Amino acid sequence: MIVLGTQSARYSGEIPVFERRAVRASTDPYRPEALRKREAFLVNGDSVPEGFGWYIFVNRPVTAVNAPTIELPSDFDFLADGDVLRLTPTKNSLRVLFRRNASVNSFLLTERCNNFCLMCSQPPRNVNDGWIVDEILEALPLIDTDVPEIMFSGGEPTLLGSRFLDLVRACKSYLPRTALHILSNGRSFSDPAFAKSLGDIGHHDIMVGIPVYSDLAHVHDYVVQADGAYDETIRGILNLKQTGVPVEIRIVMHKQTVPRLSALAEFLTRNLLFVEHVALMGLEMTGFTKANLGDLWVDPADYAEELKRAVGILDRAKIKTSIYNSQLCLIDRSIWRFARRSISDWKQEYMPECQSCAVMDQCGGFFSSAELKYSSHIQPIPC
Amino acid sequence: MSKFQALERYENSLKSGYRLLPFRFTQLSGDDYVLSNLVGEFVVLKRSVLNDFSKGCLLPHDPAFEELKSKHFLIDDDSSVVVDLLALKLRTKLAPLANFTALHLFVTTLRCDHSCPYCQVSRANDDRQEFDMSEETALKSIDLAFRSPSQVLKFEFQGGESLLNLNLIRFIIEEVKRRNAEQRRDIQFVIATNLALLSDEAIELARQHDVLISTSLDGPEELHNRNRPRPGNDSYKRTIEGIQRVRRELGRDRVGALMTTTAASLSLVRGIIDEYIAQDFRGIFLRPLSPYGFAIKTKFYQAYDQSKWLEFYFEGLDYIIDLNLKGFGFTEYYAAMVLRKMLTPFQPGYVDLLSPSGAGVAAVVYNYDGDVYASDESRMLAEMGDKRFCIGNVHSNTYEEIFLNDTLLEALESSFAASVPMCSWCAFEPYCGADPVFHHATQSDFVGKKPLSAFCNRNMSVFKGLIERMNSRPEVREIFERWAYM
Ligand code: SF4
Ligand code: SF4
């Protein structure tokens, strides 16, 4: 498990006055001197090059240097060259904004949301968190340009309105080779002008991932706990298509969505065939899911048939389809090729049953939160 | 109290009821009815459920209600985006119309080495050039082709035996390419040939310009040779050798084959399909017999019983379905084209099943002598003495005169299926076509009385047969979905 933030960073030395600041971490002793001033050096041996703005000591004694130092506990062993950190010296706090080695880096843009999904893993809070945008705008130019992909999530990122568009523009400018994946409920794009202003940015490699939970409006509205959300989401998707922004459909599988999964698949092929990708996702046992477990939990073994049908419909219609957060022993072998190992390395776990399984290295495993509830049909696959 | 609301709270239809969206229905068999909406989505219901639905008394939790709602047959207070989606789907279905004519058929010569009894148009293979298209005629025809707004232009060379005028084919291809250097359209060339006279030059030409070869294969050797007499009675052998040569020298997917169905074919559908499989084709188009050409004169057409053809068709279709169920992928293209209309948002451009009709719109024929025909069938009709669908001549008419030809416009307008008797209330109208040329040929009327129309009868049976098959067997539906999205 990786810890991304701490309130017990120890800052010492002559600390410049600011509330928070984003800096890039470096392990490179040959870093051009012209860049050192604004970067933090991760001390990892005895040789300590001169001239860096900050020196970070992870789980090691601080040695005397000519600049402010930060001492961190061993949880931060993973820090690597190119990581971007947010420093808040006045609160002894430090947060990792970007990890160079993570397969995908996700930026939470806001905690606010206009949906209130039964299974939200990041329960929305109505707070004034506009500072997050400033922080990300500051961090983006520090990210190495060869990073393949970054993600914007929330809350609902588009609630930021023009500030959201500023962020997309910044991605286009500062990360000209990096894909941008945005997780949104799509409702804001029901305003054609807003959708168009996203399209007009002309980002080189953008995709908006939007959940559609049912072919029937009221079921979707119930799942997201917002009357009228379905119509706005669908209109949003159509408007994005109109303006040339690629869309991905994301479907979380649970008790409310699986009974009509193949009907939804057919609906997608008939109405939204133009989408770039459909992701069918297993339920994560976090956030609101725990509170609504009774209305959400269904053993994946019990919807395996329906999942197979839905994937077949999408695949025959040539829609690119993936299954996320699923365990191979719970899905039909014929659709294994759609299953992706999607759970990020540090959240992924396996159950005791898995130890003798022949396909453990291909199986996505479980969210660590799955301990709360997982299928009673986990069945190691024999060699 | 929970901060979450119950499902019923979002189910406005519980109070509001529902309103019908436009749909049509037709009886399948017995108690089963098929309902279709204007974009071709369909639902099969029992008569009593259809009754309840149309009277407005279907209840929201009825599975039929949910299916009808999902497929946009009704609207209620839960959602109004249905209308946007229907509009989008209708636009998608109609979009190809804006491209106007993509397929341009050039009759390079009427001369032919074969003397097939069902072919009306060809002339004996002698060296007289009077039945060849001239370069001047070709140039004028190319002018017209490039007037089409379509971004895709397909040039298909026909005969007679088109290869007997290979020099003209080369001339046209080079001229088209020269003009396209500036126009930058997506150009495709197809040579329709019986392959009996496939020369090194023809192969070289096809290689150089990525030309697709379309040939005729009627079935097993005996049937093929009987259908297609030529000196030496070796049509089959030459065709097969030609197919193999094209595969070897140009690529295995560079040759396609079409069959002509004759009275002699009707009892041999499995043999015909097996022949296609043996020749390494991955599908077959089980074609209806055309009423044109010698067919009518030689009484083939009269002898040709519509119900026999349907038996032939469904026996073949079921045989092919069975092959697929056993794991061998093989497609029946007529079904595939109809299924594309039934199961996908797309509208395939198959000329015979379009409404408005594809005549002159989806395809146009430039005859060897410069006459322009609204379709290949129109040209055959003319050879039988009825020049009704000759819509102009490249030498004496302008583009506007030809494509705004009164007969053409009247035929297109009056036959538009959505507004003619029977079709306008037929559930299969979204899948069907208008075919004014056929109805003119058989009933001397662009519209035709559909109960007497072999076109209607045949297609309706095919539509029903396909729906019944996929509705009763999910595994067949899966195969059909694959065909539809090919
Ligand atoms: S036993 Fe464990 S590792 Fe194997 S498929 Fe099932 S969940 Fe995956
Ligand atoms: S021709 Fe026949 S099958 Fe086709 S739409 Fe008209 S009535 Fe229906």
Side-chain angles (χ1 to χ4, degrees):
Chain A
M1 187 84 180
I2 281 184
V3 175
L4 293 177
T6 177
Q7 306 288 336
S8 57
R10 259 202 280 150
Y11 292 82
S12 37
E14 252 180 70
I15 301 178
V17 183
F18 57 78
E19 200 192 337
R20 54 172 82 89
R21 173 172 298 175
V23 298
R24 180 184 181 279
S26 173
T27 56
D28 178 8
Y30 305 107
R31 192 75 175 156
E33 294 195 17
L35 294 174
R36 295 186 186 182
K37 196 75 216 136
R38 47 180 141 107
E39 297 191 349
F41 186 76
L42 292 168
V43 180
N44 54 1
D46 295 335
S47 84
V48 178
E50 299 236 317
F52 279 91
W54 302 80
Y55 290 84
I56 296 178
F57 297 83
V58 179
N59 195 27
R60 61 167 59 232
V62 176
T63 51
V65 285
N66 234 341
T69 60
I70 310 168
E71 208 183 332
L72 292 173
S74 59
D75 300 344
F76 288 86
D77 273 343
F78 63 83
L79 284 183
D81 192 72
D83 288 356
V84 178
L85 316 171
R86 180 236 289 157
L87 312 181
T88 319
T90 49
K91 293 187 174 146
N92 284 330
S93 122
L94 178 145
R95 191 164 180 84
V96 183
L97 298 177
F98 172 84
R99 278 203 305 140
R100 186 69 186 78
N101 295 330
S103 53
V104 181
N105 275 276
S106 170
F107 292 91
L108 181 145
L109 267 48
T110 175
E111 291 188 72
R112 290 180 298 132
C113 191
N114 49 352
N115 280 355
F116 203 72
C117 303
L118 294 176
M119 64 295 175
C120 183
S121 59
Q122 181 72 49
R125 293 198 306 152
N126 200 357
V127 290
N128 189 351
D129 54 10
W131 58 269
I132 299 179
V133 177
D134 300 318
E135 182 173 282
I136 298 171
L137 284 172
E138 198 187 335
L140 287 174
L142 306 181
I143 295 174
D144 292 347
T145 53
D146 57 350
V147 167
E149 178 181 359
I150 63 169
M151 183 184 267
F152 282 173
S153 70
E156 173 49 42
T158 61
L159 292 185
L160 293 163
S162 64
R163 300 275 279 157
F164 164 76
L165 299 171
D166 289 343
L167 282 164
V168 176
R169 255 178 236 117
C171 288
K172 176 178 148 127
S173 305
Y174 291 110
L175 296 168
R177 291 188 292 281
T178 303
L180 175 60
H181 197 166
I182 298 168
L183 301 187
S184 163
N185 61 38
R187 293 175 61 184
S188 304
F189 299 113
S190 63
D191 169 9
F194 186 66
K196 183 166 184 310
S197 45
L198 179 61
D200 285 349
I201 292 174
H203 189 282
H204 47 279
D205 189 357
I206 190 174
M207 171 125 82
V208 187
I210 299 179
V212 175
Y213 293 123
S214 180
D215 56 327
L216 301 179
H218 70 276
V219 178
H220 177 93
D221 288 355
Y222 165 59
V223 172
V224 306
Q225 292 282 304
D227 211 8
Y230 174 85
D231 277 20
E232 286 185 4
T233 293
I234 301 290
R235 286 203 176 93
I237 294 169
L238 298 181
N239 288 337
L240 287 174
K241 148 85 182 157
Q242 189 69 26
T243 181
V245 177
V247 171
E248 165 198 63
I249 302 293
R250 299 169 73 85
I251 304 163
V252 181
M253 296 180 285
H254 53 63
K255 202 189 239 175
Q256 306 303 324
T257 58
V258 293
R260 296 194 64 81
L261 206 55
S262 55
L264 173 56
E266 203 181 322
F267 172 86
L268 295 177
T269 65
R270 224 40 225 228
N271 295 280
L272 305 175
L273 186 65
F274 55 82
V275 299
E276 220 61 31
H277 181 221
V278 173
L280 295 146
M281 306 183 289
L283 189 61
E284 191 180 354
M285 296 295 153
T286 55
F288 285 159
T289 303
K290 289 187 262 183
N292 293 312
L293 205 57
D295 289 326
L296 296 174
W297 173 255
V298 51
D299 194 313
D302 295 337
Y303 64 71
E305 255 317 293
E306 184 66 7
L307 175 61
K308 179 180 151 193
R309 258 197 297 278
V311 168
I313 289 169
L314 295 167
D315 181 48
R316 287 189 291 278
K318 300 196 156 87
I319 298 183
K320 197 169 157 254
T321 303
S322 304
I323 307 170
Y324 293 157
N325 315 343
S326 71
Q327 297 80 37
L328 291 180
C329 56
L330 296 177
I331 61 178
D332 194 275
R333 218 172 247 270
S334 67
I335 56 170
W336 276 16
R337 63 193 173 96
F338 299 96
R340 316 267 174 258
R341 296 189 74 174
S342 54
I343 301 175
S344 25
D345 40 6
W346 50 280
K347 281 185 178 173
Q348 183 183 36
E349 289 187 3
Y350 294 88
M351 297 301 164
E353 295 93 315
C354 303
Q355 296 317 316
S356 63
C357 179
V359 295
M360 201 165 128
D361 59 331
Q362 298 152 49
C363 177
F366 299 81
F367 281 113
S368 34
S369 56
E371 276 147 19
L372 176 68
K373 182 109 190 152
Y374 67 95
S375 172
S376 44
H377 294 82
I378 298 300
Q379 195 51 265
I381 307 283
C383 295
Chain B
M1 203 194 101
S2 169
K3 46 190 174 174
F4 298 98
Q5 312 270 353
L7 178 63
E8 294 69 44
R9 155 79 181 69
Y10 299 95
E11 214 170 348
N12 299 319
S13 56
L14 290 176
K15 292 180 289 255
S16 72
Y18 61 88
R19 281 144 286 150
L20 304 178
L21 288 167
F23 74 94
R24 287 171 280 207
F25 60 92
T26 296
Q27 187 174 25
L28 286 176
S29 63
D31 224 12
D32 286 338
Y33 282 73
V34 60
L35 289 69
S36 72
N37 65 11
L38 67 170
V39 295
E41 278 160 295
F42 67 90
V43 177
V44 176
L45 295 180
K46 294 287 174 209
R47 187 187 169 96
S48 59
V49 183
L50 167 60
N51 232 321
D52 288 350
F53 169 55
S54 47
K55 281 195 282 198
C57 47
L58 208 58
L59 293 175
H61 289 150
D62 194 307
F65 179 94
E66 298 189 328
E67 192 183 3
L68 288 162
K69 182 169 170 175
S70 173
K71 292 184 175 163
H72 301 164
F73 285 77
L74 65 84
I75 185 167
D76 61 21
D77 281 2
D78 275 341
S79 169
S80 62
V81 77
V82 192
V83 178
D84 306 52
L85 290 171
L86 273 174
L88 173 69
K89 286 184 277 191
L90 194 61
R91 278 201 301 276
T92 309
K93 288 270 180 194
L94 295 179
L97 279 176
N99 296 333
F100 210 56
T101 321
L103 177 57
H104 299 264
L105 298 151
F106 285 66
V107 179
T108 56
T109 179
L110 286 189
R111 291 183 290 135
C112 188
D113 57 317
H114 280 62
S115 48
C116 308
Y118 51 74
C119 175
Q120 171 68 17
V121 296
S122 58
R123 300 290 187 279
N125 179 23
D126 46 39
D127 289 334
R128 290 186 303 149
Q129 313 287 297
E130 62 191 287
F131 294 118
D132 287 3
M133 183 182 271
S134 70
E135 292 188 354
E136 279 168 309
T137 302
L139 286 174
K140 293 266 189 197
S141 306
I142 296 171
D143 287 345
L144 291 173
F146 272 100
R147 288 289 305 276
S148 164
S150 177
Q151 195 40 44
V152 178
L153 291 179
K154 194 164 164 183
F155 293 84
E156 181 167 330
F157 305 105
Q158 290 204 341
E161 169 47 48
S162 61
L163 289 185
L164 286 172
N165 199 357
L166 185 65
N167 284 338
L168 186 80
I169 295 179
R170 178 180 297 113
F171 174 80
I172 294 173
I173 290 178
E174 284 170 357
E175 177 62 18
V176 166
K177 283 204 149 177
R178 194 183 64 75
R179 294 193 197 188
N180 199 47
E182 233 173 71
Q183 295 246 357
R184 309 213 146 266
R185 304 209 207 178
D186 179 359
I187 303 276
Q188 297 161 21
F189 298 108
V190 180
I191 295 179
T193 166
N194 59 43
L195 288 175
L197 305 169
L198 186 63
S199 60
D200 294 347
E201 290 87 350
I203 285 278
E204 200 37 51
L205 182 72
R207 190 200 323 275
Q208 238 179 49
H209 300 289
D210 264 332
V211 181
L212 264 164
I213 306 296
S214 166
T215 193
S216 305
L217 178 62
D218 284 356
E221 181 158 13
E222 201 196 317
L223 176 66
H224 182 96
N225 283 344
R226 180 165 154 196
N227 275 353
R228 301 182 175 268
R230 77 182 298 282
N233 201 27
D234 59 354
S235 176
Y236 174 85
K237 185 165 164 279
R238 284 171 176 259
T239 300
I240 299 299
E241 279 170 10
I243 290 171
Q244 286 166 354
R245 181 162 179 207
V246 173
R247 290 229 174 92
R248 190 169 61 242
E249 300 195 28
L250 301 178
R252 67 189 294 162
D253 58 346
R254 302 311 290 168
V255 59
L258 278 177
M259 59 159 301
T260 300
T261 311
T262 62
S265 319
L266 290 177
S267 57
L268 294 172
V269 71
R270 282 169 187 252
I272 296 172
I273 294 166
D274 286 343
E275 179 68 36
Y276 270 68
I277 295 173
Q279 298 311 330
D280 212 7
F281 289 106
R282 299 314 293 260
I284 189 170
F285 187 170
L286 294 174
R287 271 162 99 197
L289 182 74
S290 110
Y292 311 100
F294 274 126
I296 284 179
K297 263 204 284 188
T298 54
K299 302 229 190 304
F300 266 22
Y301 192 67
Q302 286 92 323
Y304 182 84
D305 181 349
Q306 185 71 18
S307 68
K308 280 225 181 89
W309 182 83
L310 286 168
E311 271 169 39
F312 161 89
Y313 179 77
F314 284 117
E315 188 192 341
L317 179 68
D318 288 334
Y319 180 54
I320 292 171
I321 289 174
D322 223 48
L323 289 170
N324 282 277
L325 288 174
K326 289 181 186 141
F328 183 74
F330 193 82
T331 307
E332 199 286 298
Y333 294 125
Y334 195 70
M337 191 265 311
V338 172
L339 290 164
R340 194 167 172 82
K341 293 175 174 234
M342 290 178 163
L343 299 176
T344 83
F346 304 118
Q347 183 70 339
Y350 176 61
V351 183
D352 291 358
L353 281 188
L354 287 177
S355 171
S357 157
V361 180
V364 63
V365 182
Y366 307 100
N367 206 7
Y368 74 100
D369 56 2
D371 279 349
V372 181
Y373 289 99
S375 65
D376 209 29
E377 289 75 14
S378 310
R379 161 171 82 113
M380 298 191 201
L381 202 59
E383 291 293 336
M384 295 160 64
D386 181 350
K387 289 192 80 169
R388 195 74 200 270
F389 283 95
C390 177
I391 52 178
N393 187 288
V394 299
H395 296 290
S396 48
N397 295 109
T398 64
Y399 178 82
E400 287 75 12
E401 283 165 358
I402 292 171
F403 287 97
L404 297 176
N405 171 286
D406 284 342
T407 304
L408 180 63
L409 292 191
E410 196 202 325
L412 292 178
E413 198 181 322
S414 64
S415 68
F416 184 58
S419 64
V420 309
M422 207 159 136
C423 302
S424 60
W425 62 82
C426 173
F428 304 117
E429 189 275 328
Y431 319 129
C432 207
D435 214 340
V437 183
F438 178 96
H439 289 107
H440 170 75
T442 53
Q443 298 189 21
S444 306
D445 172 31
F446 294 143
V447 181
K449 296 179 185 65
K450 301 301 190 227
L452 305 177
S453 156
F455 171 89
C456 172
N457 184 294
R458 169 192 4 120
N459 283 314
M460 197 180 286
S461 302
V462 170
F463 301 144
K464 283 184 181 174
L466 291 173
I467 290 178
E468 280 166 351
R469 277 167 179 74
M470 65 179 139
N471 237 49
S472 58
R473 299 176 71 186
E475 65 277 21
V476 172
R477 168 138 185 157
E478 286 183 16
I479 294 165
F480 282 7
E481 283 173 8
R482 247 179 230 117
W483 292 359
Y485 280 101
M486 243 176 357

